[in-house]
Amino acid sequence: MNIGEICTVQTITCARDETVQGAALLMRKHHVGDLIVVDQLDGQPVPVGIVTDRDIVVSVVALGLDPDSLQVGDIMSDDLLTCGEDDDVYATIEHMRLRGIRRVPVVNRAGGLTGIVSADDLLEFLAEEMGDLSRISANQQAQEKRARH
C-alpha cells in the first residue's frame, strides 16, 4: 500500500515568518500538535520544516522567551524528512524509525504538499492489517466445515 492512501490530507500549514504565538493559535484553533512550514513555489505549498507544540514549549516557553517576537522559522525543525504519495508504507515506517520521527509530510512528484502521515496513522493501518490476518484461521475453519458437510 502507498502512503498517499493512508495519509491525512487536511494539513495545517504556516509560513516561516509566522510568529510562534500565531502558530500556537493555529494549533489551538485546528486542534493539532504540529504545523507544516511551507514556502510557496509555483503556486503550491512546498514543505520546508515542521513545528510542534513541543518545539514551542521547549524552545520558547521553557526559556521564558516572547512567542510574539519569534518567528516559526527560528524554532522549526528544518532537517525535514518527507515521503512521496507513491512511497511504500513499510519503507516509510523504516525511514521514520531510523530518524526517530513521528510525523512526515507527504509530497507529490513536484514536491508540493499533499498530506501528512503520523505514527498514529501507521499504527491504525497496521492494526487493521493485523485484524485481517487474525481472521484467516476463522475463515479457513468455516470453509473446511462447509466443505465437509
Side-chain angles (χ1 to χ4, degrees), residues 10-14 18 20-35 53 56:
Q10 298 286 342
T11 57
I12 309 301
T13 64
C14 71
E18 177 67 66
V20 172
Q21 179 71 36
L25 289 171
L26 274 172
M27 289 180 194
R28 178 186 164 112
K29 177 182 177 182
H30 295 284
H31 308 285
V32 297
D34 64 88
L35 300 173
D53 47 8
I56 293 172

Side-chain angles (χ1 to χ4, degrees), residues 20 53-67 70:
V20 172
D53 47 8
R54 187 174 195 290
D55 293 330
I56 293 172
V57 169
V58 170
S59 299
V60 180
V61 176
L63 301 176
L65 302 176
D66 178 12
L70 293 171

Side-chain angles (χ1 to χ4, degrees), residues 54-119:
R54 187 174 195 290
D55 293 330
I56 293 172
V57 169
V58 170
S59 299
V60 180
V61 176
L63 301 176
L65 302 176
D66 178 12
D68 221 15
S69 67
L70 293 171
Q71 295 182 337
V72 168
D74 298 328
I75 67 165
M76 72 179 188
S77 300
D78 59 2
D79 182 21
L80 191 64
L81 172 66
T82 62
C83 64
E85 296 171 306
D86 297 328
D87 287 0
D88 177 69
V89 169
Y90 299 103
T92 301
I93 291 170
E94 181 66 6
H95 293 300
M96 291 171 73
R97 184 187 68 76
L98 290 172
R99 296 266 307 265
I101 295 174
R102 297 185 44 82
R103 301 171 184 97
V104 178
V106 180
V107 296
N108 60 26
R109 289 193 175 128
L113 180 67
T114 60
I116 188 167
V117 66
S118 70

Side-chain angles (χ1 to χ4, degrees), residues 3 6 89 93 96 117-127:
I3 286 293
I6 65 168
V89 169
I93 291 170
M96 291 171 73
V117 66
S118 70
D120 290 344
D121 297 328
L122 295 165
L123 283 170
E124 185 176 325
F125 164 75
L126 292 172

